[in-house]
């Protein structure tokens, strides 16, 4: 199947999942995750109608963005080292992966230097997995408050990446918990905080995420194909 064909299929499934949940399909946006794909794959998806892409790695993203010729917009969704925030300043519409105040401060500083404001999501590690990024659920409210106090940041919602399950339904409690946290934060009416986005759901579980309220689904392999694992060259 071509990238355009996969995209069409995914968009249909997103629409069906939204309707089944009694939601407006326009309330769910697709972030096409293009990590490890080259610029030509992004251009191909863009010609297939996709405008929004998500990237994980700073170096790869910066060089790819310079090579893409179609008009696209970008979200940064991966783990971000504070000292690399400078390289992506002003290049992305939304950073999904703010999980600590030191990173937020650096994003604030770098966007501020450009006279811009950065929209961010706070990433939550609901399962407390040691291998994953994200603030602990108990720390989210305080982190949102601290991040929202920075002059060049706006908090737009929360993001999570649940543990992997063979059965997508296994992820449901994590999606539900993210939504509960988001409602809890919204109830605090913190200035500069709008809990409008819930970034959750990937290739294997986005329909469950949509049923639980996702507004941004991050889908890579179901659009671009399985990512190649780095293999050592054959002798
Ligand atoms: C790679 C990645 C995705 C997409 O995963 P697929 O299973 O390929 O759809 C989504 N979110 C994050 C944070 C990722 O790193």
């Amino acid at each position: 199947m071509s990238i355009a064909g996969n995209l069409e299929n995914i968009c249909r499934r997103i629409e069906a999942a939204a309707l089944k949940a009694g939601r407006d399909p326009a309330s769910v946006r697709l972030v096409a995750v293009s990590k490890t794909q080259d610029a030509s794959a992004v251009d191909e998806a863009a010609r297939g109608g996709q405008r929004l892409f998500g990237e994980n790695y700073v170096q790869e993203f910066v060089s790819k963005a310079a090579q893409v010729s179609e008009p696209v917009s970008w979200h940064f969704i991966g783990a971000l080292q504070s000292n690399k925030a400078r390289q992506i300043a002003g290049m992305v519409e939304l950073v999904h992966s703010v999980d600590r105040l030191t990173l937020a401060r650096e994003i604030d500083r770098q966007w501020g230097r450009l006279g811009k404001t950065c929209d961010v999501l706070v990433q939550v590690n609901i399962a407390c997995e040691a291998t994953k990024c994200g603030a602990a659920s108990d720390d989210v409210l305080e982190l949102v408050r601290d991040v929202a106090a920075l002059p060049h940041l706006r908090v737009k919602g929360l993001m999570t990446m649940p543990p992997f399950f063979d059965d997508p339904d296994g992820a449901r409690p994590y999606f539900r918990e993210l939504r509960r946290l988001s409602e809890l934060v919204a109830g605090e009416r913190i200035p500069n905080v709008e809990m409008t986005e819930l970034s959750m759901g990937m290739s294997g579980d986005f329909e469950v995420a949509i049923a639980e309220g996702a507004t941004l689904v991050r889908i890579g392999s179901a659009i671009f194909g399985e990512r190649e694992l780095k293999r050592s060259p054959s002798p």
Side-chain angles (χ1 to χ4, degrees):
M1 187 67 113
S2 67
I3 289 175
N6 290 341
L7 261 174
E8 210 183 305
N9 177 38
I10 292 295
C11 289
R12 262 205 216 107
R13 286 172 59 190
I14 289 173
E15 189 183 348
L19 291 173
K20 192 174 165 202
R23 301 180 53 196
D24 177 1
S27 68
V28 184
R29 282 191 294 159
L30 169 61
V31 182
V33 176
S34 46
K35 64 178 173 214
T36 77
Q37 307 295 330
D38 57 20
S40 66
V42 173
D43 279 329
E44 196 180 331
R47 286 190 293 270
Q50 179 64 23
R51 287 287 172 242
L52 178 57
F53 294 84
E55 286 282 336
N56 287 62
Y57 310 108
V58 169
Q59 233 73 51
E60 181 194 324
F61 166 50
V62 170
S63 71
K64 190 184 304 182
Q67 294 168 45
V68 167
S69 48
E70 299 292 330
V72 298
S73 55
W74 303 98
H75 286 182
F76 196 84
I77 65 169
L80 184 56
Q81 286 172 259
S82 298
N83 63 8
K84 293 195 174 159
R86 180 182 154 88
Q87 295 180 58
I88 63 166
M91 290 178 67
V92 298
E93 282 182 355
L94 183 68
V95 177
H96 291 223
S97 44
V98 170
D99 61 357
R100 59 201 189 278
L101 190 56
T102 48
L103 172 61
R105 286 201 180 109
E106 188 56 22
I107 294 173
D108 179 67
R109 206 163 73 88
Q110 296 303 337
W111 262 254
R113 281 177 359 122
L114 304 174
K116 292 185 174 175
T117 300
C118 184
D119 288 343
V120 303
L121 307 181
V122 166
Q123 182 173 351
V124 191
N125 185 350
I126 293 169
C128 294
E129 292 176 284
T131 54
K132 285 210 180 118
C133 300
S137 301
D138 287 348
D139 300 336
V140 168
L141 185 57
E142 192 185 342
L143 181 57
V144 169
R145 274 189 210 286
D146 291 343
V147 171
L150 297 168
H152 304 101
L153 291 193
R154 270 189 306 244
V155 180
K156 293 291 188 180
L158 304 179
M159 180 272 227
T160 199
M161 218 171 147
F164 177 80
F165 296 93
D166 283 320
D167 175 0
D169 226 42
R172 189 182 298 272
Y174 299 89
F175 297 147
R176 202 166 272 178
E177 176 62 7
L178 192 72
R179 181 174 181 164
R180 189 192 69 81
L181 279 170
S182 146
E183 285 164 359
L184 182 136
V185 172
E188 296 289 312
R189 309 202 177 284
I190 304 163
N192 220 12
V193 174
E194 240 179 73
M195 282 285 127
T196 49
E197 303 286 3
L198 276 179
S199 171
M200 55 193 198
M202 318 203 309
S203 291
D205 56 18
F206 68 90
E207 282 143 325
V208 176
I210 290 169
E212 296 300 330
T215 63
L216 290 163
V217 289
R218 311 177 310 267
I219 301 180
S221 48
I223 295 170
F224 295 106
E226 290 301 323
R227 286 178 292 277
E228 289 223 2
L229 296 173
K230 295 238 154 65
R231 250 173 277 141
S232 39
S234 11

